Amino acid sequence: RSAERAVVSQAVAEGGVVSVVVSNRETAGRSHSVVKTYIPLNCTAGGSRGKLLGNRGSTLRSMAADSGCKLAIRGRGSTQLKPGETEEILIASNRTLHGHLADELHVLVEYEGLSTLKDACIQRAEALVKNTLFPDRFPEVGGYSFQEMISAYAALDPAGFYGQPLPPP
């Protein structure tokens, strides 16, 4: 665990983006996966948190809809602090609510759905995060959006995946 943390810290300090799988459960053709995508505090055009959030969270919501994953910004630098408040004070006041602040800044990517779409959705979320923070290094996000993937699967199996209804396109 400490070796993993050291590798992540070094990569992020050098301006890299690193993803680590936190959990992965699969049952009956469905999957629930959580991935932490560690990001630097600052990106090409300023602060990473502000760049990912966009105007009133619109960028983060758009990336979540496009990837089919839930996205949340967590870790050091993820919260807006009140005057005189520090992240250490928040952690000490409520470890359950603010415990994530002890970790490096990251985007928590959570996927819940068909196992066959899991990898594509998580990879798309990671690519959207990289492209948003570093458009000069990751200029284009290819592949299909979540809605396009669902439409393709619906065309292949109109009754739904193994008899389970698909979410609407």
Side-chain angles (χ1 to χ4, degrees):
R1 199 108 168 96
S2 62
E4 178 182 290
R5 191 170 283 232
V7 169
V8 166
S9 295
Q10 181 180 355
V12 169
E14 294 171 359
V17 178
V18 180
S19 293
V20 176
V21 176
V22 176
S23 68
N24 184 31
R25 277 193 336 256
E26 294 194 29
T27 53
R30 301 205 47 91
S31 179
H32 180 263
S33 297
V34 178
V35 174
K36 288 183 180 181
T37 300
Y38 290 92
I39 57 176
L41 283 171
N42 294 305
C43 63
T44 304
S48 294
R49 177 181 166 266
K51 187 80 169 157
L52 286 171
L53 283 174
N55 188 17
R56 297 183 178 204
S58 61
T59 303
L60 196 65
R61 282 193 306 273
S62 171
M63 290 190 307
D66 191 21
S67 67
C69 297
K70 291 179 187 176
L71 303 175
I73 302 171
R74 297 282 186 257
R76 262 177 271 156
S78 65
T79 58
Q80 194 166 9
L81 300 171
K82 296 175 186 166
E85 200 173 47
T86 66
E87 290 174 341
E88 289 76 23
I89 291 171
L90 286 176
I91 293 168
S93 69
N94 189 339
R95 189 115 179 107
T96 305
L97 185 61
H98 302 293
H100 68 91
L101 294 173
D103 204 356
E104 297 284 339
L105 183 63
H106 61 275
V107 177
L108 194 67
V109 179
E110 186 175 358
Y111 173 78
E112 189 166 355
L114 299 173
S115 295
T116 52
L117 296 178
K118 176 189 71 171
D119 291 337
C121 289
I122 291 173
Q123 287 171 4
R124 182 149 184 89
E126 291 170 349
L128 289 167
V129 167
K130 288 177 182 178
N131 177 262
T132 301
L133 295 178
F134 303 104
D136 52 333
R137 288 182 7 209
F138 305 98
E140 199 172 307
V141 178
Y144 298 102
S145 72
F146 179 66
Q147 295 304 322
E148 291 168 329
M149 287 186 266
I150 289 294
S151 296
Y153 275 97
L156 292 173
D157 185 9
F161 185 75
Y162 294 108
Q164 298 175 11
L166 289 168

